[in-house]
Amino acid sequence: MRQSALYREFTTYVTLNILGSLGLSCYILADTFFVASRLGADGLTALNLAISVFGLLNGLGMMLGIGGGARYSIFQAQGMEREANRTFTIAFLTGAGLGLFFALCGLFFARPLAALLGAEGHILPMCATYLRTALSFAPFFILNQVMTAFVRNDGNPKLAMAAMLTGSLTNIVLDYVFLYPLDMGIFGAAFATGVAPVVGLLLSSLHILTGRSRFRLVREPMRPRHLFSLSALGGAAFLNECSTSVVLVVFNLLILHLAGNLGVAAYSIVANLAFVMLGIFNGISNGTQPLVSQACGRGDLPRQRTLYRMALILATVFGVGITALGLFAAPPLVALFNSAGDPALQSLAEGGMHLYFLGFLFVGFNLITASYLGATERPLPSSLLSFFRGFVGIVVLALCFGLLFGLTGVWLAFPAAELLTALAGAAVQRREFLRIQN
């Protein structure tokens, strides 16, 4: 493929996936905005405690979708249609089963789960209501991610983006309707969020219903090794997404101890703004993945490296811009969610944003490197980087820095973890490059 054609394909896939990922991020942000303006700091605290479940649901969906999609693209590039269809079948049926399990957990164990996440007092019933309602839609959250990834890997990134954006827009509209005219409280916010993946799944299913799909459900023997094979390639996506939940829980508990409910409300503002920014880097990595996997299936190493370099350059530009945004635009951004004009909440959130957003200098490199390794069938280094970034590194640093420096240390844990992961990722890539050369 000529270089200009590669640039066009890269631009198309990445642009569409950035828009789709931003839309997906924005429906969580819409919940935060409407809950903050309608239900105040208590509602914001309950939402932030409950919202960690989305990281797990989306992480499982992305593991099956991105891992399965990568394996599917490799099989298609190699002309192995039977194996490609089996990959889709395994990903879809596993996602449906996991979704049903979490829906049952939400139905019967919402209150104990809310308490486990740190909710107490008058916050507990609000948090439990949100969890019970949102988890009822767990099958749709997981299967929406699976279908979106397969549609994207099957050469239809426009439909994948349209499904993500339409679902997000539906959530935003319903958030307003349920919280204001209908005055449904925290239940309304959760119900609006749950409807979004239903709409997205229906739209992405048009890829199959219109006959454009090359994948379909098949009756094939499904062995554990088949599930492990596709899950391994999506391990980094799972860890990156699931780590959001772990970080939310750990940070919530630490900040609750250090600064009380007001501190948790401040972290909710910072974390949700950061979540939207992460959508940009997820869009770059998810948009690059199908192209890299196709090149890997054909054994085209120069194309793989070119795509990796282009993704890194784009991520670096965004990283610098987002860091500057955190340093210089914090006051108006925080004020959007501080409807009561609470000066203590404004001060806590602004200070946190200044420090927390320094991590975006390194986030792009880390996410894209882990995604690239997974897309080229190197799941172990990919997953190890993501595991360190999302679990070991940031949790240990948050605990240590929080003990040593208080709330300031908790804010600094995120950029410190991203920096250490970037150093490790650079070392891994250098080792992989030397291994291929030899």
Side-chain angles (χ1 to χ4, degrees):
M1 180 180 288
R2 293 171 54 188
Q3 202 76 351
S4 58
L6 178 60
Y7 288 145
R8 284 196 300 271
E9 191 172 21
F10 172 81
T11 301
T12 299
Y13 268 77
V14 168
T15 300
L16 292 174
N17 276 279
I18 288 176
L19 291 173
S21 293
L22 282 175
L24 191 64
S25 303
C26 283
Y27 81 68
I28 301 295
L29 191 65
D31 264 4
T32 304
F33 175 79
F34 285 114
V35 168
S37 60
R38 185 65 169 167
L39 304 177
D42 287 346
L44 196 57
T45 301
L47 174 65
N48 197 50
L49 293 171
I51 213 169
S52 57
V53 299
F54 290 107
L56 179 59
L57 295 179
N58 287 329
L60 289 169
M62 292 178 74
M63 177 182 71
L64 296 170
I66 292 177
R71 184 66 69 192
Y72 170 82
S73 290
I74 292 169
F75 282 144
Q76 285 287 1
Q78 296 171 345
M80 302 170 70
E81 186 175 343
R82 178 180 174 182
E83 288 78 4
N85 284 328
R86 183 173 60 195
T87 298
F88 170 69
T89 302
I90 293 171
F92 189 89
L93 294 181
T94 302
L98 287 171
L100 180 60
F101 169 77
F102 283 105
L104 292 173
C105 287
L107 183 62
F108 295 107
F109 303 109
R111 195 175 182 91
L113 180 57
L116 184 65
L117 293 173
E120 56 186 11
H122 62 284
I123 302 296
L124 180 59
M126 296 176 70
C127 185
T129 297
Y130 194 97
L131 285 171
R132 185 178 299 107
T133 307
L135 284 173
S136 298
F137 292 89
F140 298 99
F141 281 108
I142 295 176
L143 290 178
N144 184 43
Q145 291 285 357
V146 172
M147 281 296 296
T148 299
F150 271 88
V151 168
R152 183 170 56 235
N153 277 271
D154 204 35
N156 199 351
K158 291 183 179 179
L159 180 59
M161 178 208 67
M164 295 167 75
L165 286 180
T166 305
S168 299
L169 181 61
T170 300
N171 176 74
I172 293 170
V173 172
L174 291 181
D175 260 328
Y176 172 78
V177 172
F178 291 164
L179 282 171
Y180 282 88
L182 298 182
D183 196 20
M184 295 168 65
I186 198 76
F187 167 78
F191 190 71
T193 299
V195 171
V198 177
V199 174
L201 183 59
L202 289 173
L203 278 178
S204 60
S205 297
L206 292 175
H207 185 66
I208 297 175
L209 298 175
T210 56
R212 293 192 58 181
S213 169
R214 291 182 296 168
F215 57 78
R216 58 188 176 86
L217 293 172
V218 293
R219 297 183 66 176
E220 287 277 348
M222 292 179 287
R223 298 180 175 86
R225 63 184 174 85
H226 296 146
L227 177 60
F228 176 79
S229 175
L230 69 89
S231 298
L233 295 188
F238 169 75
L239 291 170
N240 284 329
E241 191 69 22
C242 195
S243 67
T244 304
S245 297
V246 174
V247 171
L248 274 173
V249 172
V250 172
F251 275 48
N252 280 333
L253 294 175
L254 282 173
I255 293 173
L256 194 63
H257 173 71
L258 293 170
N261 284 339
L262 192 66
V264 174
Y267 174 59
S268 175
I269 295 172
V270 175
N272 279 282
L273 288 169
F275 185 71
V276 173
M277 301 304 143
L278 281 171
I280 295 173
F281 301 106
N282 284 327
I284 297 172
S285 62
N286 292 342
T288 308
Q289 175 267 311
L291 304 178
V292 172
S293 292
Q294 291 165 15
C296 178
R298 292 192 291 263
D300 191 344
L301 185 60
R303 188 168 189 248
Q304 294 176 41
R305 290 179 177 170
T306 300
L307 289 164
Y308 178 62
R309 284 195 298 270
M310 288 192 294
L312 286 184
I313 291 170
L314 186 59
T316 300
V317 172
F318 274 112
V320 172
I322 291 169
T323 301
L325 197 69
L327 291 174
F328 302 112
L333 289 174
V334 170
L336 288 174
F337 303 91
N338 185 15
S339 58
D342 187 331
L345 177 61
Q346 184 77 20
S347 177
L348 279 175
E350 281 184 29
M353 194 170 172
H354 291 155
L355 300 176
Y356 198 90
F357 271 49
L358 293 173
F360 285 104
L361 291 171
F362 316 106
V363 166
F365 176 83
N366 296 334
L367 290 178
I368 289 165
T369 298
S371 175
Y372 174 79
L373 291 169
T376 53
E377 297 190 285
R378 287 173 282 179
L380 182 59
S382 172
S383 296
L384 286 176
L385 281 177
S386 297
F387 185 70
F388 177 81
R389 171 187 174 267
F391 291 90
V392 177
I394 193 165
V395 170
V396 171
L397 288 170
L399 292 171
C400 293
F401 283 15
L403 181 65
L404 294 173
F405 310 115
L407 189 58
T408 298
V410 177
W411 296 127
L412 285 172
F414 173 68
E418 295 293 344
L419 172 59
L420 291 177
T421 305
L423 294 174
V428 168
Q429 275 296 73
R430 176 176 172 79
R431 187 194 66 187
E432 291 292 318
F433 176 77
L434 292 175
R435 181 181 63 82
I436 292 171
Q437 288 293 99
N438 295 328

